[in-house]
Amino acid sequence: DGNELTEISDYMKEETTTSGSEEMEGIAKGKNVIFVSLESLQSFVINNKMNGEEVTPFLNDLIGDSYYFENFYHQTEQGKTSDSEFIVENSLYPSPRGAVYFTHSSNDFHSLPEIIGNNGYYSTVFHSNNKSFWNRDVMYDNLGYDHFYSETAFEVTEENSVGWGLKDKPFFKQSMKYLQQLNQKEQPFYAKFITLTNHYPFELSEEDATIDPYDSNSNTLNHYFQTVRYMDEAVEEFFNHLKETGVYEDSIIILMGDHYGISDFHKKAMSQYLDKEYTDFQHVQLQRVPFIVHIPGEEGKTFSKVAGQIDVKPTILNLLGIDDSNDLSFGTDLFSDDRKDYVALRDGSFITDDYVYTKDQCYNKDTGELIEGNIESSDDEEASACGPYMEQVNKELNYSDQIVFGDLFRFYDFGDEE
Ligand code: GP9
Ligand code: MN
């Protein structure tokens, strides 16, 4: 009923739906938005080397003239890519189990495609997999996407496929004819591209491997570097296509890692590569994924503040100058100073500017050292540092679940004209 919703919407308006940065507001007004979801890309490879070679030379360069958030966390659970999509589209948390894309695909949402659609945007998704994977065809319809270029829109052959399907390079290349059509007929557009090649078990054809594998006891990690590099090259080619066709100038390009690629099953190999002990603290820090906002003509800047996928929707809306003061979100504009100072992971772990909390323990974020003592005691300032956040994070995850499980937005008037 409406009562629980009042409490939740009051909380969201008060605590998690703040006004965006005035400086950045509307900086990309009327521009096309090209959103690239980078499969399994984690931040630890960015600006890092393997066998003495940069793993992601193109992205490293790109970051130099982009806004880059180096402490940006994925917040996905079992719904993997679809969870990352759900979070970005709605600024709500994914489900603690299963995938919202399957379990609640007919809910009322107030999604990014719908909101920008009301502001003249045509929205599309490009992804060369069966359209019903993750129930995307159903959910995309409900979220208000205008078109989904799925597997059937692409020419997929034995030669241009590996692992899960069409390789990223031909995927971007074949997408260009559609993108150019959009560029001629549907401006401004929002186009989400979901890559595929850098997916577990990180298979690659020999001719596509441009760096050697890593050497550790984990075949998964060893090959991860090679498929990450392939994806980096594919994105570079995509940027070249965008420039050659003139789509680049009228667009902003946002790139985001969807979730981790290397699970804690590969602790030993990861700790060898990082040259660090693999602690629970490290595990949380490894949940960082790249978030890059590239606006042609704007200079780059790297931000260290904590951020998460939950913040993407309000950030995009503010960049486009679309008023979202009537929206309800659990994230805040990443360019605003008036923003949330913590990121909640779906399992209840959280990260603040100073602390990392996971598995009932609070860590100093700078040193990674465990803070001894009782988190819930009020007379030990150091030990209780994580305490207040714990309560808020639990409340927030719980509120989000109530919205999703109870389909509560059907009772809320967002004030949009129909
Ligand atoms: C499948 C692709 C990968 O279409 O998005 O899915 P994942 O296993 O990462 O959720
Ligand atoms: Mn994925």
Side-chain angles (χ1 to χ4, degrees), residues 74 240 246 273 309 330 333 356:
H74 85 82
N240 291 337
Y273 175 70
Q309 291 171 329
F330 282 112
D333 173 26
V356 167

Side-chain angles (χ1 to χ4, degrees), residues 39 79-82 127 129 133-134 136 164 194 196 199 258-259:
E39 179 57 47
K80 306 302 300 279
T81 310
S82 76
H127 181 51
N129 194 358
F133 197 92
W134 284 130
R136 282 185 173 110
W164 281 56
I194 305 173
L196 197 53
H199 193 288
D258 63 349
H259 50 73

Side-chain angles (χ1 to χ4, degrees), residues 77-335:
E77 248 311 323
Q78 293 169 346
K80 306 302 300 279
T81 310
S82 76
D83 275 357
S84 82
E85 296 182 66
F86 177 73
I87 305 167
V88 166
E89 284 146 350
N90 299 290
S91 195
L92 297 172
Y93 292 96
S95 180
R97 68 204 88 84
V100 181
Y101 261 50
F102 273 116
T103 59
H104 293 84
S105 59
S106 57
N107 274 17
D108 268 14
F109 292 111
H110 192 237
S111 71
L112 180 68
E114 180 186 327
I115 299 170
I116 63 176
N118 289 338
N119 285 271
Y121 274 79
Y122 184 88
S123 56
T124 57
V125 183
F126 292 76
H127 181 51
S128 182
N129 194 358
N130 189 294
K131 67 180 168 117
S132 60
F133 197 92
W134 284 130
N135 203 28
R136 282 185 173 110
D137 52 345
V138 174
M139 187 61 155
Y140 284 171
D141 238 14
N142 183 30
L143 293 174
Y145 283 106
D146 294 302
H147 194 77
F148 177 19
Y149 296 94
S150 67
E151 193 175 17
T152 51
F154 298 90
E155 201 195 313
V156 187
T157 65
E158 187 126 328
E159 291 78 61
N160 68 16
S161 304
V162 70
W164 281 56
L166 185 61
K167 300 177 192 176
D168 292 344
K169 287 180 186 178
F171 163 64
F172 284 124
K173 182 138 201 257
Q174 290 187 30
S175 297
M176 286 315 295
K177 65 169 186 279
Y178 302 122
L179 201 59
Q180 281 178 270
Q181 284 165 12
L182 294 179
N183 201 45
Q184 275 152 20
K185 296 194 200 117
E186 304 288 0
Q187 288 218 45
F189 61 80
Y190 177 92
K192 167 161 76 177
F193 289 80
I194 305 173
T195 69
L196 197 53
T197 308
N198 189 47
H199 193 288
Y200 180 84
F202 312 113
E203 271 179 74
L204 202 60
S205 349
E206 213 170 307
E207 76 266 20
D208 292 320
T210 52
I211 55 175
D212 289 334
Y214 185 56
D215 183 14
S216 75
N217 76 338
S218 161
N219 252 319
T220 302
L221 181 64
N222 296 349
H223 289 106
Y224 179 72
F225 292 102
Q226 295 182 299
T227 48
V228 166
R229 167 60 84 86
Y230 174 81
M231 180 166 65
D232 183 75
E233 292 169 4
V235 174
E236 177 171 25
E237 290 187 8
F238 184 43
F239 268 73
N240 291 337
H241 299 321
L242 293 175
K243 287 177 180 166
E244 284 154 15
T245 52
V247 177
Y248 178 80
E249 282 92 85
D250 295 328
S251 307
I252 66 167
I253 300 117
I254 301 177
L255 305 100
M256 184 190 85
D258 63 349
H259 50 73
Y260 68 81
I262 306 298
S263 73
D264 58 6
F265 190 74
H266 307 275
K267 279 193 176 111
K268 192 163 175 237
M270 273 306 285
S271 106
Q272 175 192 326
Y273 175 70
L274 298 171
D275 197 16
K276 272 183 196 149
E277 202 191 333
Y278 195 112
T279 58
D280 290 338
F281 167 81
Q282 277 310 332
H283 178 73
V284 170
Q285 290 301 68
L286 281 167
Q287 304 315 305
R288 283 175 290 186
V289 295
F291 184 65
I292 304 167
V293 178
H294 182 75
I295 305 181
E298 294 274 316
E299 266 175 52
K301 186 176 174 188
T302 292
F303 293 91
S304 299
K305 53 191 173 188
V306 291
Q309 291 171 329
I310 204 96
D311 300 314
V312 172
K313 179 190 180 193
T315 304
I316 292 179
L317 288 174
N318 195 59
L319 290 172
L320 299 183
I322 294 174
D323 176 25
D324 64 346
S325 50
N326 290 329
D327 196 21
L328 293 178
S329 63
F330 282 112
T332 52
D333 173 26
L334 290 176
F335 293 104

